[in-house]
Amino acid sequence: QVQLVESGGGLVQSGESLRLSCTASGFILDHYAIGWFRQAPGKEREGVSCFSSSDKRTRSSDSVKGRFTISTDNRKNTVYLEMNSLKPEDTAIYYCAVTFLIASPNIPCEMRDDWYEDDFWGQGTQVTVSS
């Protein structure tokens, strides 16, 4: 079964850290881009951070820049979102999504949700940050 499985969410206090995992099952993360998105109650889904295996670069929204980091573990077919210095406004359901790239260098990732494959989204994991 082809799917993305997320884990690592939870309840933390302001200033603490969490690491979210996004593991690909049924396919290999090879030439790809991954995006992390979040949706808070009553708000639209927003892009948080993304990574492209093509240009090896990460992009982040201004709201998380310097606090959130993407890392990868090819052996585990997993991408992580390391979230530090969490704030109450980071409270949301977090999703990962994947799109597949041609084997070409210098393709940057995008933080638009419509850029990612419809069928390659994780189920979401809840992150709650208390003040």
Side-chain angles (χ1 to χ4, degrees):
Q1 185 178 3
V2 174
Q3 60 180 349
L4 292 173
V5 179
E6 298 165 12
S7 60
L11 171 63
V12 296
Q13 293 189 333
S14 182
E16 293 185 339
S17 299
L18 277 175
R19 187 177 75 164
L20 305 183
S21 300
C22 177
T23 299
S25 176
F27 66 101
I28 300 297
L29 289 173
D30 190 1
H31 303 291
Y32 70 98
I34 188 164
W36 285 95
F37 297 83
R38 68 185 181 187
Q39 188 165 22
K43 294 187 176 182
E44 292 188 356
R45 187 163 58 191
E46 64 170 337
V48 174
S49 191
C50 67
F51 168 78
S52 168
S53 70
S54 173
D55 67 0
K56 304 291 191 292
R57 292 187 174 184
T58 299
R59 297 176 64 190
S60 296
S61 66
D62 289 342
S63 61
V64 306
K65 198 167 292 183
R67 299 189 298 123
F68 290 12
T69 303
I70 290 179
S71 62
T72 63
D73 187 334
N74 292 336
R75 293 174 303 170
K76 295 182 178 180
N77 217 26
T78 297
V79 178
Y80 303 99
L81 181 68
E82 186 77 41
M83 306 186 296
N84 299 313
S85 303
L86 283 162
K87 305 175 182 180
E89 52 264 42
D90 294 320
T91 295
I93 299 175
Y94 284 71
Y95 301 89
C96 61
V98 165
T99 194
F100 300 99
L101 306 176
I102 59 173
S104 177
N106 301 320
I107 301 176
C109 63
E110 299 282 348
M111 289 197 290
R112 300 179 356 246
D113 55 8
D114 62 353
W115 194 68
Y116 294 84
E117 301 288 340
D118 288 343
D119 295 332
F120 288 86
W121 284 77
Q123 81 284 2
T125 185
Q126 176 70 49
V127 172
T128 303
V129 185
S130 63
S131 58

